C-alpha cells in the first residue's frame, strides 16, 4: 500500500475560477493587453516543469500528446477497453490534472511527490491503446521509457524536493549539497549577482571544482546588455574553484515570453506600463535581473491599473537554499468594490504601524503607501495560486521605493468554501462559527498579512560606501537594552543571509502581524465588522491559525527533520508559541473519532485572546523583528528552529499528532482557468467546467498554434541536462 500522501484522491476538489464578468467589463484594448500578458505568462509557466524535477517535462509531453488526440470523454472508452475500471480512469484524469495544476509531479504546496493512483501496468495499457500511440508508436514508447520509472518511483530521496540527500531539486545539479549552495552564494555576493534567475551546475575540471551559473535568457551569447556596462558573464577564479556565468537557460521559453510582452506593449494603458514591459523584455532576453528590478519600479508606479499583472522569477520557496525564484506570471482584473476596503486599510497604515510591538527605530523611516487591490484572476501560471501577494521581493526596492499588495478575490471565494462534514479537529459549535466567519476573517488576515506584515519593519544596512541607514550610536536592542551590533553589509539581503529559513520566518512574521492587528477595532471596522460580529471575526481568525498549525504537521518530514512548506511551518510555530503561553488559551488533545480511529481536537479560549494571546504574540513578534532587522542569523535561526521542532517530548507528542493529521488530511483544491483566443480581431474568453476533464481540456487548448514545437523544446531542455541529475 502506498501512503496516501503520495497520490491525489479521486474526489479531490476542482473548481473553475470565475472571471467572466470581470473580463466582459474590460475595453477591447484592455482585453488585448490582458490576452498577450496571459500568453507570456503561460509560456513562462512551463519553465516550472524544468524547475521542479528531471521527469516533469517528459510526463507533461506524454500526457499532452494523449489528450490532444482524444479528449477525456473520448479516451474513457479506450480506458475501459484497456482494462481500467471507472476508478482507475478517474485516477488517471486526476493525476493528469494534478500534474498540470502543479506544473510538475511534486505538490506546489508541501513539495511532496505524487504518483498515479492506479497500477503502473494499467497506466501503460492506456498509453498503448491511445490514438497518440497508434499514430506514432516509436515516439510514444520512447516518451514512456524516459519517464515511466520516475513516474512511479518513491525512493526516499524522490519523495520530496530537497538538496543533496534530502530530496530532488533541479535548481542545482545532483552532485551539489548545502556547502556548494553556500559557496556559490559567496561568489554571487562578491560579483553583486542575484541568484533569483539562476541555476547552479557543478562539475570537476582538471581536479578543480567548477560551477556553471546559468542565467535564464532568450539570448545564449554572453554579450553585454545595454546599460549593464560590463557583462557579468564569463569565467572567474574564486578561492579554490572556477565559476562560469553564462546565459541561455530556458532560452526558447524566454523568447516566447518576450515576444508576447512586446505585443502587449502595443495595448499598454500608459507610459509606466510600456516602460515596465520594455524592461521585462530586456530581463528575459538577456538574463538581466537589474532590468527586472527596473521593470518592477515602473510596475510600482503604475497605480490602480484596470488590468494588473506581474511576471518573472518571483518566489524562492521551492529552492532548497531559498535564493532562486520559481517562474510565475499572473494577469487579473481589479474588483473595485473590494479594493475600496483595502484602500482604506492603506490610508490607515501610518496610524496602525506604530501599534506594532517594536521600537520606532525598527520601523521603516517612511511608509511608502502601496497599491492594495482585490483582483479577479484571469491567468495565474506557475506551480500554484496563492490567496494574496506582496511584491516585488527585492529588499532594496521594498525598503526605499515601495511595493504592491494584491488579494485574489475569486481565488478566496472558491478556495476556502468548506463543508462541515470535512472540517477536522474542531468542536461541533466551533465548526458552525468557522463556516460562517472563515471567509470574512481570512479577508482581514490576508489584508493585514500582506500590507502591514510583509510591508513593515526596517532592515539595518551599511552600504558599499560604509554609510549606515540608522543611528549606530543610538539604536538599541529592546530585548537586551544594548546597542545593536550586527546589520546587513554591502550586497547582503534578507534571503541571502537567512537562506533556508528566510521564507518561512518571514511568513511567520506576517501571520503574527495579522493576528496582532486584527485585535484592533479600527481594522475590523474598515472591513465592515462591528460589535459582536467583530469579536466573531477575531475568534475565528485565531482559531483558524491554531488549527492550521496542527494541519501543518502534514508538511513535516520526520526522516529528514525538515519542513516542506513555508506557510505551514510558520503556522505550526505560532501554534507552539500560543500553547507555550499556557493559562488555558489553547488546548490540544488526542481523542477517538466516530469512526473509531485516532482523532484530535483543538480549542481556543476566546476570553483570553486579548490578554494571554496578545501578550504572547507581542513578545514573539518583537523578537522575530529584532533578529530580522539586525541580520542576526544565529539568534533568529535558534529562535525559529526551536519552535519549528517536531518532537514526541514535552506536553504534546507532535509526532503522534502528525500521524492523526495524515490519517484525516484533505487534499488541496485545484483550479481550472480560462483561455483567451483572438478571433476576428477580438479577444474571446473560453471557459471550462470545474473538473479534472475541464482542467485537462484547458491545458490541451492552451498552446493552439505551436504545441508540438513547445513540447519538442521541453524535451530538448530536459535531455540536455539529463546527466546532471544522476
Amino acid at each position: 500500500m502506498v501512503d496516501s500522501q503520495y497520490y491525489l484522491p479521486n474526489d479531490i476538489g476542482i473548481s473553475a475560477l470565475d472571471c467572466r464578468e470581470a473580463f466582459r467589463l474590460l475595453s477591447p484594448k484592455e482585453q488585448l493587453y490582458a490576452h498577450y500578458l496571459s500568453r507570456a505568462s503561460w509560456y513562462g509557466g512551463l519553465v516550472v516543469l524544468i524547475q521542479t524535477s528531471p521527469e516533469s517535462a517528459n510526463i507533461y509531453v506524454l500526457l499532452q500528446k494523449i489528450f490532444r488526440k482524444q479528449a477525456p470523454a473520448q479516451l474513457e472508452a479506450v480506458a475501459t477497453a484497456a482494462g481500467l475500471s471507472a476508478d482507475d480512469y478517474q485516477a488517471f484524469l486526476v493525476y493528469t490534472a494534478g500534474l498540470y495544476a502543479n506544473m510538475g509531479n511534486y505538490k506546489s504546496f508541501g513539495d511532496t511527490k505524487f504518483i498515479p493512483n492506479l497500477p503502473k501496468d494499467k497506466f501503460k495499457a492506456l498509453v498503448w491503446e491511445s490514438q497518440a500511440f497508434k499514430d506514432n508508436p516509436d515516439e510514444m514508447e520512447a516518451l514512456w521509457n524516459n519517464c515511466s520509472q520516475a513516474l512511479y518511483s518513491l525512493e526516499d530521496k524522490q519523495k520530496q524536493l530537497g538538496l543533496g540527500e534530502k530530496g530532488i531539486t533541479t535548481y542545482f545539479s545532483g552532485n551539489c549539497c548545502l556547502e556548494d549552495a553556500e559557496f556559490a552564494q559567496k561568489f554571487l555576493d562578491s560579483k553583486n549577482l542575484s541568484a533569483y534567475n539562476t541555476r547552479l551546475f557543478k562539475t570537476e575540471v582538471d581536479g578543480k571544482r567548477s560551477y556553471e551559473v546559468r542565467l535564464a535568457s532568450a539570448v545564449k551569447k554572453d554579450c553585454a546588455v545595454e546599460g549593464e556596462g560590463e557583462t557579468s558573464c564569463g569565467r572567474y577564479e574564486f578561492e579554490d574553484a572556477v565559476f562560469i556565468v553564462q546565459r541561455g537557460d530556458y532560452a526558447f521559453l524566454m523568447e516566447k515570453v518576450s515576444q508576447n510582452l512586446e505585443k502587449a506593449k502595443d495595448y499598454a494603458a500608459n507610459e509606466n506600463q510600456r516602460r515596465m514591459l520594455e524592461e521585462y523584455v530586456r530581463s528575459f532576453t538577456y538574463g538581466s535581473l537589474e532590468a527586472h528590478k527596473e521593470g518592477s519600479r515602473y510596475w510600482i508606479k503604475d497605480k490602480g491599473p484596470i488590468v494588473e499583472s506581474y511576471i518573472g522569477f518571483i518566489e524562492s520557496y521551492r529552492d532548497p537554499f531559498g535564493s532562486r525564484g520559481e517562474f510565475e506570471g499572473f494577469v487579473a482584473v481589479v474588483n473595485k468594490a473590494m479594493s475600496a476596503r483595502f484602500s482604506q486599510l492603506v490610508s490607515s497604515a501610518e496610524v496602525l504601524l506604530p501599534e506594532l510591538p517594536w521600537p520606532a527605530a525598527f520601523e521603516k523611516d517612511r511608509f511608502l503607501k502601496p497599491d492594495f487591490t482585490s483582483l479577479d484572476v484571469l491567468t495565474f501560471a506557475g506551480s500554484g495560486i496563492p490567496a494574496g501577494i506582496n511584491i516585488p521581493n527585492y529588499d532594496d526596492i521594498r525598503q526605499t521605493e515601495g511595493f504592491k499588495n494584491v488579494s485574489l478575490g475569486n481565488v478566496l471565494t472558491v478556495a476556502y468554501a468548506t463543508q462541515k462534514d470535512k472540517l477536522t479537529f474542531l468542536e461541533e459549535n466551533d465548526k458552525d462559527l468557522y463556516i460562517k466567519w472563515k471567509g470574512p476573517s481570512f479577508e482581514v488576515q490576508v489584508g493585514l498579512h500582506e500590507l502591514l506584515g510583509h510591508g513593515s519593519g526596517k532592515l539595518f544596512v551599511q552600504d558599499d560606501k560604509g554609510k549606515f541607514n540608522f543611528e549606530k550610536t543610538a539604536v538599541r536592542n529592546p530585548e537586551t537594552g544594548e546597542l545593536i551590533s550586527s546589520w546587513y553589509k554591502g550586497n547582503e539581503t534578507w534571503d541571502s543571509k537567512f537562506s533556508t529559513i528566510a521564507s518561512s520566518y518571514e511568513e511567520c512574521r506576517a501571520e503574527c502581524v495579522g493576528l496582532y492587528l486584527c485585535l484592533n477595532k479600527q481594522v475590523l471596522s474598515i472591513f465592515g465588522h462591528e460589535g459582536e460580529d467583530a469579536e466573531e471575526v477575531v475568534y475565528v481568525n485565531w482559531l483558524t491559525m491554531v488549527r492550521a498549525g496542527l494541519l501543518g504537521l502534514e508538511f513535516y518530514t520526520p526522516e529528514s527533520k525538515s519542513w516542506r512548506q513555508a506557510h505551514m511551518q510558520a503556522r505550526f510555530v505560532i501554534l507552539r508559541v500560543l500553547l507555550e503561553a499556557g493559562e488555558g488559551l489553547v488546548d490540544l488533545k488526542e481523542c477517538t473519532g466516530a469512526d473509531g480511529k485516532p482523532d484530535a481536537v483543538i480549542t481556543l479560549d476566546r476570553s483570553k485572546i486579548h490578554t494571554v494571546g496578545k501578550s504572547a504574540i507581542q513578545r514573539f513578534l518583537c523578537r522575530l523583528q529584532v533578529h530580522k532587522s539586525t541580520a542576526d542569523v544565529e539568534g533568529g535561526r535558534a529562535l525559529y528552529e526551536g519552535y519549528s521542532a517536531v518532537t514526541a517530548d514535552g506536553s504534546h507528542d507532535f509526532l503522534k499528532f502528525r500521524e492523526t493529521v495524515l490519517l484525516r488530511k484533505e487534499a488541496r483544491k485545484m483550479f481550472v482557468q480560462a483561455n483567451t483566443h483572438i478571433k476576428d480581431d477580438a479577444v474571446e474568453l473560453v471557459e471550462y467546467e470545474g473538473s479534472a476533464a475541464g482542467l485537462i481540456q484547458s491545458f490541451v487548448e492552451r498552446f493552439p498554434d505551436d504545441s508540438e514545437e513547445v513540447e519538442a523544446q521541453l524535451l530538448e531542455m530536459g535531455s540536455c541536462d539529463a546527466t546532471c541529475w544522476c
Side-chain angles (χ1 to χ4, degrees), residues 190-307:
S190 76
K191 296 296 174 193
N192 197 18
L193 271 172
S194 169
Y196 265 117
N197 62 340
T198 71
R199 292 195 291 165
L200 186 73
F201 295 81
K202 177 184 173 184
T203 53
E204 199 168 288
V205 179
D206 299 329
K208 197 172 191 178
R209 280 186 300 167
S210 179
Y211 296 93
E212 178 193 332
V213 176
R214 202 182 293 173
L215 304 172
S217 69
V219 165
K220 295 180 182 179
K221 293 176 185 172
D222 298 331
C223 54
V225 184
E226 183 189 340
E228 184 187 36
E230 288 183 29
T231 177
S232 54
C233 295
R235 185 180 186 279
Y236 302 90
E237 299 276 341
F238 185 75
E239 295 186 11
D240 62 344
V242 172
F243 278 85
I244 298 162
V245 180
Q246 63 183 58
R247 303 192 214 276
D249 215 4
Y250 328 114
F252 171 81
L253 296 174
M254 292 295 97
E255 186 173 357
K256 287 288 185 183
V257 171
S258 298
Q259 287 168 354
N260 282 282
L261 293 178
E262 279 287 358
K263 290 176 182 175
K265 206 166 69 175
D266 293 339
Y267 305 99
N270 55 53
E271 190 60 20
N272 279 324
Q273 288 183 1
R274 276 186 287 278
R275 297 292 295 275
M276 166 189 87
L277 293 173
E278 279 171 12
E279 294 296 338
Y280 288 166
V281 168
R282 206 159 68 87
S283 175
F284 301 135
T285 301
Y286 298 105
S288 166
L289 203 81
E290 284 307 311
H292 194 269
K293 288 171 87 167
E294 195 60 27
S296 297
R297 289 184 173 99
Y298 287 114
W299 178 70
I300 293 166
K301 291 173 188 170
D302 183 28
K303 301 283 186 187
I306 302 298
V307 177

Side-chain angles (χ1 to χ4, degrees), residues 166-454:
K166 289 193 171 183
I168 293 294
T169 180
T170 48
Y171 287 103
F172 299 86
S173 56
N175 55 353
C176 284
C177 61
L178 183 60
E179 288 71 28
D180 294 302
E182 289 169 340
F183 183 56
Q185 189 64 53
K186 273 176 68 180
F187 165 76
L188 291 169
D189 287 344
S190 76
K191 296 296 174 193
N192 197 18
L193 271 172
S194 169
Y196 265 117
N197 62 340
T198 71
R199 292 195 291 165
L200 186 73
F201 295 81
K202 177 184 173 184
T203 53
E204 199 168 288
V205 179
D206 299 329
K208 197 172 191 178
R209 280 186 300 167
S210 179
Y211 296 93
E212 178 193 332
V213 176
R214 202 182 293 173
L215 304 172
S217 69
V219 165
K220 295 180 182 179
K221 293 176 185 172
D222 298 331
C223 54
V225 184
E226 183 189 340
E228 184 187 36
E230 288 183 29
T231 177
S232 54
C233 295
R235 185 180 186 279
Y236 302 90
E237 299 276 341
F238 185 75
E239 295 186 11
D240 62 344
V242 172
F243 278 85
I244 298 162
V245 180
Q246 63 183 58
R247 303 192 214 276
D249 215 4
Y250 328 114
F252 171 81
L253 296 174
M254 292 295 97
E255 186 173 357
K256 287 288 185 183
V257 171
S258 298
Q259 287 168 354
N260 282 282
L261 293 178
E262 279 287 358
K263 290 176 182 175
K265 206 166 69 175
D266 293 339
Y267 305 99
N270 55 53
E271 190 60 20
N272 279 324
Q273 288 183 1
R274 276 186 287 278
R275 297 292 295 275
M276 166 189 87
L277 293 173
E278 279 171 12
E279 294 296 338
Y280 288 166
V281 168
R282 206 159 68 87
S283 175
F284 301 135
T285 301
Y286 298 105
S288 166
L289 203 81
E290 284 307 311
H292 194 269
K293 288 171 87 167
E294 195 60 27
S296 297
R297 289 184 173 99
Y298 287 114
W299 178 70
I300 293 166
K301 291 173 188 170
D302 183 28
K303 301 283 186 187
I306 302 298
V307 177
E308 184 60 284
S309 67
Y310 198 58
I311 189 168
F313 295 87
I314 312 299
E315 302 293 354
S316 57
Y317 302 126
R318 297 183 98 192
D319 167 15
F321 190 64
S323 294
R324 287 154 189 79
E326 184 176 71
F327 197 96
E328 69 180 45
F330 77 81
V331 186
V333 183
V334 171
N335 178 321
K336 289 180 180 172
M338 180 52 94
S339 296
R341 291 184 191 174
F342 289 131
S343 178
Q344 209 179 333
L345 187 64
V346 171
S347 299
S348 307
E350 285 161 301
V351 178
L352 295 170
L353 280 169
E355 299 286 315
L356 291 170
W358 47 76
F362 284 73
E363 193 45 71
K364 290 174 186 165
D365 303 335
R366 186 167 61 94
F367 181 69
L368 301 153
K369 286 190 176 180
D371 247 13
F372 198 162
T373 47
S374 177
L375 306 175
D376 286 337
V377 170
L378 169 65
T379 296
F380 205 115
S383 66
I385 309 180
I389 320 170
N390 174 287
I391 36 184
N393 285 332
Y394 307 121
D395 285 331
D396 50 345
I397 294 179
R398 294 162 64 85
Q399 289 279 316
T400 59
E401 297 174 60
F403 53 90
K404 281 187 184 181
N405 293 281
V406 297
S407 173
L408 305 179
N410 58 344
V411 175
L412 286 171
T413 302
V414 294
Y416 298 99
T418 313
Q419 296 169 283
K420 188 173 178 180
D421 60 345
K422 290 194 172 183
L423 254 184
T424 51
F425 311 129
L426 294 179
E427 290 188 326
E428 285 303 308
N429 56 333
D430 278 341
K431 288 182 181 180
D432 293 323
L433 284 172
Y434 183 96
I435 288 168
K436 182 177 180 181
W437 294 104
K438 173 70 170 86
S441 71
F442 196 66
E443 183 183 284
V444 172
Q445 180 68 11
V446 167
L448 293 171
H449 172 116
E450 300 296 350
L451 176 68
L452 299 168
H454 293 315

Side-chain angles (χ1 to χ4, degrees), residues 79-100:
T80 304
L84 278 71
S85 67
D87 280 349
D88 289 334
Y89 185 58
Q90 178 64 13
F92 180 76
L93 293 180
V94 165
Y95 178 78
T96 305
L99 187 104
Y100 291 154

